[in-house]
Amino acid sequence: MELTNKQYTTLRNLIYNNCGINLHKGKLPLLKNRLSKRLRATGIEDVNTYIKLLKNDNDEFVSFIDTISTNHTYFFRENRHCEFLLDNLDRSRPIKIWSAASSSGEEPFSIAFQLLNNNFTFKILASDISTAMLKLAARGIYHKKKFRLVPRDILKKYCMKGHDRWEGYIKIKKEVVSMISFKRLNLLTDPVPGVFDVIFCRNVMIYFDNPTKAMVVNKLASAIKPGGYLIIGASEGLVGIEHDLQYVEPSIYRKK
Ligand SMILES: C[S@@+](CC[C@H](N)C(=O)[O-])C[C@H]1O[C@@H](n2cnc3c(N)ncnc32)[C@H](O)[C@@H]1O
């Protein structure tokens, strides 16, 4: 498949304007690879026809974004953030949490395991731009390799081992799954879905440039209750971004 510079730029702008992901020149091979998958899936042979479809068909746009987003995640990733919450949230009242780029669900499930285990009353909204990832998340079934960092007592209490054709897989119990609702939300274009005590937005802004990051951070801040927290990924600073949040410790910010 041939991809001209003009076509690459058109696709790059479409992606940037719609979901903030900034693909630089070095990502051309990746884009080409993912694009050829969508061409095969839709039976379209030429790139310009596919670009036209992308501009007019929201379902195809969602499928295309699904193929280009980076969804890597795992249970108990950067878990000191959860430990901070266990120490700092008020257990005497219900807590609302938003996992704003939840990918395949390991992040909201890790939070839910620990809040349940510590007798918090809470609800979690897990959202992502990728419908494919949200489907996986809502299923709550993962290969056992994914549970490497999950403490044994949590695994025993909240998960079940699969048998027969599910050998090697682990299913998360209903009592955990029922604490989470899943929803497709684009951080750039959708309104915030409520107000929260804590928002996790980890390892997604790394793909955004500073103006996009600033817009998203301020949007998220508007959805945090006074005294609540924004938690970002360990490798994502907010240096150079104007916002009203107070720095608490690396990657943890508090709304005044
Ligand atoms: C690397 S995963 C992060 C998962 C999890 N938060 C973690 O830290 O392990 C990044 C996720 O951000 C999602 N994403 C990318 N752009 C987005 C946008 N504009 N709105 C919502 N989610 C987006 C991707 O689909 C992907 O699932």
Side-chain angles (χ1 to χ4, degrees):
M1 184 200 71
E2 278 304 309
L3 182 65
T4 63
N5 272 343
K6 190 167 169 233
Q7 289 165 335
Y8 178 64
T9 308
T10 306
L11 287 168
R12 215 184 136 227
N13 290 342
L14 259 178
I15 296 164
Y16 176 71
N17 293 333
N18 285 283
C19 60
I21 299 170
N22 202 0
L23 293 180
H24 50 77
K25 274 252 173 316
K27 294 281 183 184
L28 191 130
L30 173 107
L31 186 67
K32 243 177 131 171
N33 174 290
R34 308 287 168 92
L35 184 61
S36 56
K37 279 191 188 150
R38 286 316 303 159
L39 290 181
R40 274 201 301 279
T42 51
I44 293 174
E45 280 172 18
D46 105 276
V47 177
N48 284 337
T49 309
Y50 183 74
I51 291 176
K52 261 194 208 135
L53 176 72
L54 264 190
K55 287 181 176 166
N56 294 307
D57 180 336
N58 193 45
D59 287 346
E60 183 50 37
F61 191 76
V62 169
S63 302
F64 179 63
I65 294 299
D66 274 1
T67 65
I68 61 123
S69 59
T70 304
N71 309 114
H72 177 67
T73 183
Y74 48 92
F75 289 102
F76 279 64
R77 181 179 198 178
E78 296 170 23
N79 199 51
R80 70 176 177 79
H81 296 150
C82 265
E83 287 160 10
F84 171 89
L85 293 180
L86 296 179
D87 289 342
N88 288 280
L89 288 179
D90 177 1
R91 272 163 221 247
S92 66
R93 53 177 196 85
I95 306 286
K96 270 181 77 185
I97 295 189
W98 177 19
S99 165
S102 59
S103 188
S104 39
E106 289 84 337
E107 175 178 282
F109 281 126
S110 301
I111 303 165
F113 287 147
Q114 295 172 83
L115 293 184
L116 271 175
N117 205 32
N118 285 276
N119 303 315
F120 280 88
T121 308
F122 67 96
K123 278 274 169 222
I124 300 177
L125 170 66
S127 69
D128 200 277
I129 199 170
S130 163
T131 44
M133 289 302 116
L134 287 166
K135 241 189 201 166
L136 280 180
R139 194 175 75 146
I141 300 173
Y142 300 86
H143 195 273
K144 65 179 182 195
K145 277 193 290 197
K146 287 241 169 182
F147 290 80
R148 212 171 31 90
L149 298 179
V150 180
R152 282 190 77 81
D153 59 323
I154 296 242
L155 204 54
K156 273 186 129 173
K157 203 163 163 186
Y158 299 115
C159 304
M160 294 173 294
K161 272 189 186 166
H163 299 287
D164 305 324
R165 81 183 182 94
W166 289 106
E167 192 66 52
Y169 285 83
I170 287 177
K171 186 174 165 73
I172 296 176
K173 286 189 181 168
K174 260 212 178 97
E175 67 174 295
V176 189
V177 180
S178 67
M179 306 312 290
I180 306 174
S181 46
F182 300 93
K183 193 176 164 96
R184 181 179 188 263
L185 279 177
N186 183 341
L187 287 169
L188 260 71
T189 53
D190 286 317
V192 292
V195 273
F196 299 87
D197 297 284
V198 184
I199 300 178
F200 281 78
C201 187
R202 301 189 302 177
N203 303 301
V204 57
M205 288 193 284
I206 201 161
Y207 305 108
F208 298 165
D209 61 11
N210 269 4
T212 311
K213 217 169 163 180
M215 193 274 278
V216 170
V217 166
N218 284 291
K219 191 168 173 176
L220 295 176
S222 75
I224 302 175
K225 292 181 193 169
Y229 298 99
L230 171 67
I231 301 189
I232 63 173
S235 50
E236 304 167 303
L238 295 187
V239 178
I241 304 292
E242 263 191 52
H243 60 82
D244 283 338
L245 300 166
Q246 283 172 325
Y247 171 85
V248 179
E249 56 177 75
S251 47
I252 302 180
Y253 296 82
R254 188 168 187 268
K255 178 138 168 188
K256 288 176 214 158

